[in-house]
Amino acid sequence: MPARLCYSNAAQYAQDHQDQGLLYAEGFARTLDVYLSHAWTLRPDGTVIDPTWDDEPGRAYIGITVADPALWPYDGGGILQEYGRLLPLLRDGFRQNALADLGRPLTDRLPRE
């Protein structure tokens, strides 16, 4: 899909493949040893499908999986990067069941103090 349009690419790809259970995800992805704001899709088993970037070894993704298609940014800018989309979420939070628990946790345990 077109470069530099990852948010709308991921939203549209997830929409087009809902029969496969794909969901929209957004956060940061590592490429060329730097982390960039990015969006991708996830399978129900947590496997990343990135409709914008090619499948390059060493990629890493960290973010949130949004289960509610009404929140997916079909028109461009990301949920977490665009002030107009982010402010209501910071103020009110996500609706119940808007997020999906997919992927792998960063750690199995919280650090002890």
Side-chain angles (χ1 to χ4, degrees):
M1 296 185 87
R4 304 182 75 73
L5 298 175
C6 63
Y7 304 108
S8 56
N9 288 348
Q12 190 61 55
Y13 194 83
Q15 176 69 36
D16 292 347
H17 296 87
Q18 278 190 324
D19 61 327
Q20 298 174 30
L22 294 187
L23 295 174
Y24 174 87
E26 184 175 315
F28 297 92
R30 188 180 85 185
T31 184
L32 304 173
D33 294 326
V34 298
Y35 281 89
L36 301 171
S37 297
H38 193 56
W40 57 94
T41 64
L42 284 171
R43 291 185 175 135
D45 68 0
T47 304
V48 169
I49 298 177
D50 191 329
T52 306
W53 290 348
D54 60 355
D55 187 22
E56 181 179 300
R59 290 227 197 271
Y61 297 83
I62 182 171
I64 59 170
T65 306
V66 182
D68 184 352
L71 295 173
W72 298 354
Y74 299 100
D75 61 348
I79 297 168
L80 302 176
Q81 281 70 35
E82 252 188 37
Y83 182 75
R85 289 187 170 118
L86 181 58
L87 182 60
L89 297 175
L90 292 174
R91 184 183 58 232
D92 305 326
F94 284 94
R95 294 186 297 266
Q96 186 174 2
N97 299 320
L99 300 180
D101 188 12
L102 290 179
R104 196 172 61 202
L106 293 177
T107 180
D108 292 336
R109 291 182 284 166
L110 293 175
R112 295 179 190 214
E113 294 190 40

